[in-house]
Amino acid sequence: MINHSSVLAHFKGVVDSTLREGFQFAGANFSLEDQREIFDRLVLLGVEIVEVGNPVQPEIRERIAALRRRRGDGDRPRLFAHIRNHERDIRAAAECAVDGVSVLCTADVERLAAMGLTPDSSRERLRQNIALALSFGLDVRVGVEDFFGRSFRDCLDIYEQAESAGATRVALADTLGKAQGWEVARRVGALRRRTRLEIEGHFHNDLGQAVSNAVIAVRAGANWISASLLGIGERTGITPLSSFLANLYVLDPDVARRYRMEELTAAEGLVSHLCGIDVPLHLITSPANGFAHKAGIHLDALMKFGPGKYEPLSPRIVGNVRRLVLHSVISGKTSDVQAREFEQRFG
Ligand code: HCA
Ligand code: CU
């Protein structure tokens, strides 16, 4: 087996954004109670950071305060409020006693101009806001949206400001979900060489590359990956937590063991139920498809050699179960008796 562990040597953890980006999914209408249930699953899974919405909105502030109370005296997961580069957002975050703020910035001059800002004035505002956040004891992460669609230099100016003002983590977002893997490798690598801060990557899935781009980003030096249960988010969503953790497991089971991965199927099942959708077929947590074997060649090899011939990892690892789909025109000769014996042996 290839030893991939060096790829993950600097990996620090997951920023779960089900309650922030996930809430932006068209089909998500989480109630306070739904949100509490999701939070409990995230705690069980062992994600390091839970990202929540912007507490400047009173309803969101209430929700964050409820989660903060639910976590009690413990310090995990750390709670980060996702906010704008605005003083009042920082003050609202401090009021609900989150651990940190994820400040979202833009390098888009049109967007800045619409807010009456220039790149310089917005960086100056960032410096003041970081100082304010630090004075409240908040940890600060600074993100730049559409990192791959903007000039690297313009993004770097923001990250350099973040670093000199005392942020601890910088984040890059593939907001449009169209970055190619080689661009991710090149740009994340370039950022890695220019900052000492921790790097977080956030990848949208419009072209179906959110998982591989996240893994490539880690390989290029990212320390944190933003993900959500089922991958829910704006449009087609972001990196699904289950797919990302399954990749970690394949790369280095010891790193993946930080998480209770066997809770993934139940956690993503809960979110699919709350959103009124099925677990998408390409997810490893799909009870219907994740580990369904149908073609004769596959079934035959499974019977002869065991499940390893056609499974990247055992369904148990993610809390899912295997399904043998017999009796179709393409299923070959595997019998019910053989299938039963197989299931008894491999579970
Ligand atoms: C959005 C913002 C964001 C921010 C990501 C981040 C994006 O909702 O458009 O702060 O890391 O994708 O740019 O989700
Ligand atoms: Cu996003």
Side-chain angles (χ1 to χ4, degrees):
M1 189 152 167
I2 312 164
N3 181 3
H4 297 290
S5 22
S6 60
V7 175
L8 301 180
H10 55 277
F11 176 71
K12 292 240 185 312
V14 169
V15 179
D16 183 278
S17 192
T18 310
L19 298 175
R20 195 283 295 175
E21 174 81 55
F23 204 24
Q24 295 174 220
F25 169 51
N29 288 301
F30 305 138
S31 66
L32 194 67
E33 175 60 19
D34 296 347
Q35 179 183 275
R36 187 190 60 68
E37 273 190 71
I38 293 170
F39 181 73
D40 287 353
R41 300 286 172 156
L42 295 172
V43 172
L44 203 58
L45 281 160
V47 301
E48 290 84 353
I49 296 179
V50 167
E51 183 177 84
V52 291
N54 189 344
V56 82
Q57 287 171 266
E59 309 78 38
I60 302 288
R61 184 153 65 235
E62 235 172 75
R63 285 164 177 244
I64 298 173
L67 295 183
R68 185 64 195 81
R69 284 193 299 275
R70 189 146 189 93
R71 190 187 70 181
D73 295 333
D75 57 4
R76 289 260 303 235
R78 297 173 74 214
L79 284 171
F80 272 69
H82 194 262
I83 64 168
R84 301 161 303 171
N85 182 17
H86 286 336
E87 183 186 329
R88 62 180 185 284
D89 293 17
I90 306 257
R91 291 191 184 279
E95 258 175 56
C96 43
V98 287
D99 302 284
V101 283
S102 292
V103 185
L104 181 62
C105 297
T106 179
D108 180 337
V109 283
E110 276 175 355
R111 300 286 295 276
L112 289 172
M115 295 181 262
L117 293 168
T118 63
D120 284 345
S121 62
S122 105
R123 277 200 310 279
E124 173 53 22
R125 183 192 272 197
L126 180 63
R127 192 187 62 71
Q128 289 168 8
N129 283 335
I130 292 175
L132 181 67
L134 296 177
S135 76
F136 288 128
L138 295 166
D139 197 350
V140 180
R141 181 223 79 157
V142 172
V144 177
E145 72 169 6
D146 195 18
F147 173 73
F148 296 94
R150 301 281 129 212
S151 102
F152 185 76
R153 184 63 251 176
D154 292 350
C155 298
L156 197 58
D157 286 344
I158 300 173
Y159 295 136
E160 284 172 349
Q161 178 68 287
E163 186 159 0
S164 68
T168 53
R169 181 159 35 104
V170 287
L172 50 99
D174 177 20
T175 307
L176 278 61
K178 62 176 194 180
Q180 296 297 331
W182 54 88
E183 296 174 273
V184 174
R186 189 169 55 79
R187 276 205 166 205
V188 175
L191 181 59
R192 179 67 292 161
R193 289 189 291 280
R194 286 169 176 81
T195 179
R196 283 193 300 276
L197 299 187
E198 293 175 359
I199 298 175
E200 171 191 330
H202 174 92
F203 298 93
H204 275 263
N205 204 33
D206 301 67
L207 303 187
Q209 308 210 52
V211 181
S212 57
N213 282 344
V215 177
I216 290 169
V218 172
R219 183 180 172 147
N223 311 99
W224 296 89
I225 289 299
S226 161
S228 68
L229 289 168
L230 282 188
I232 56 172
E234 288 279 350
R235 307 183 306 280
T236 60
I238 61 166
T239 309
L241 185 62
S242 55
S243 315
F244 181 67
L245 294 188
N247 275 277
L248 287 191
Y249 184 85
V250 168
L251 291 169
D252 186 346
D254 284 336
V255 173
R257 271 193 268 276
R258 289 188 209 163
Y259 306 96
R260 293 190 60 181
M261 286 181 63
E262 67 278 11
E263 298 293 337
L264 279 169
T265 297
E268 296 204 332
L270 168 75
V271 173
S272 72
H273 169 73
L274 295 176
C275 296
I277 56 168
D278 287 337
V279 176
L281 73 90
H282 64 280
L283 293 192
I284 209 154
T285 49
S286 159
N289 308 287
F291 294 88
H293 302 282
K294 183 170 172 190
I297 292 177
H298 290 226
L299 289 168
D300 188 56
L302 256 58
M303 296 304 124
K304 287 194 179 118
F305 307 107
K309 288 289 178 215
Y310 283 108
E311 286 174 1
L313 43 79
S314 167
R316 266 182 291 112
I317 303 293
V318 294
N320 204 348
V321 287
R322 180 177 299 116
R323 267 187 73 207
L324 302 179
V325 185
L326 305 181
H327 309 304
S328 78
V329 285
I330 58 162
S331 307
K333 297 197 202 61
T334 302
S335 69
D336 289 324
V337 175
Q338 273 178 304
R340 241 187 333 270
E341 277 170 15
F342 177 86
E343 271 157 14
Q344 269 158 15
R345 234 176 111 204
F346 297 105

